[in-house]
Amino acid sequence: MAKKSKQMTAAIEKVDSTKVYSAEEAVALAKETNFAKFDATVEVAYNLNIDVKKADQQIRGAVVLPNGTGKTQKVLVFAKGEKAKEAEAAGADYVGDDELVAKINGGWLDFDVVVATPDMMAVVGRLGRVLGPRNLMPNPKTGTVTMDVTKAVEEVKAGKVTYRADKAGIVHVPIGKVSFDDAKLVENFKTINNIIAAAKPATAKGTYITSLTLTTTMGPGVKVDPASL
């Protein structure tokens, strides 16, 4: 086991591991215990009582945070003709088709989100082995396979985040940066929480959110009471 640094040890000591904090308390404590020398990301993790092996219990989607994420996302769009022009006008960082496939297969990955028009998915499909493991494949559920490329690009630039339950039923979502005002982080947190709560599968039994934790990039986890949201 790796030895904890003095900074991490000091940060952990400020968090009562037996306590479940309100959203406001958790945000303030996470910022207080952050010791990174950069503008760390604040993230929430939902441990959900779901069986992701069942098709009707998979949690996946996207939402635009009211206060953004604090990160400028690079958007790549697969489109042709007028749709390519629309993507460029909307602020897409890269727009193209086959030439982008070759470039990506060659190891280039200088982008954060991939958007594609439906007619381009056969082309994008050739990148499944590269984009799939990195959760970069366009998907209708996250609004990244669409004819409305203008809306898709603008939403990403405005602070759209995607979420997806992993094999253990845990959903990790960034809600902003340590430099954000507490109120803005809480507002983003509540937005995410409303979406996750509404996504509860009808077939899921028992307590849906079994635990909820807020943390910064390098800081300790702070347990949050879902009822406070």
Side-chain angles (χ1 to χ4, degrees), residues 4 48 97 108 123 131 149 210 214 224:
K4 295 186 180 70
L48 305 177
D97 44 73
W108 177 73
V123 173
L131 302 181
V149 292
T210 57
L214 184 146
V224 183

Side-chain angles (χ1 to χ4, degrees), residues 149-206:
V149 292
T150 296
K151 179 182 178 182
V153 172
E154 289 179 346
E155 285 188 340
V156 171
K157 293 293 185 178
K160 184 177 183 178
V161 294
T162 59
Y163 57 88
R164 182 179 186 179
D166 62 18
K167 293 180 180 179
I170 300 174
V171 177
H172 296 272
V173 193
I175 61 168
K177 296 287 187 178
V178 168
S179 60
F180 281 26
D181 291 340
D182 288 18
K184 289 185 177 181
L185 284 170
V186 171
E187 186 180 10
N188 280 354
F189 196 175
K190 289 183 177 180
T191 299
I192 287 292
N193 191 74
N194 290 340
I195 294 294
I196 298 297
K200 179 182 179 180
T203 54
K205 305 299 181 184

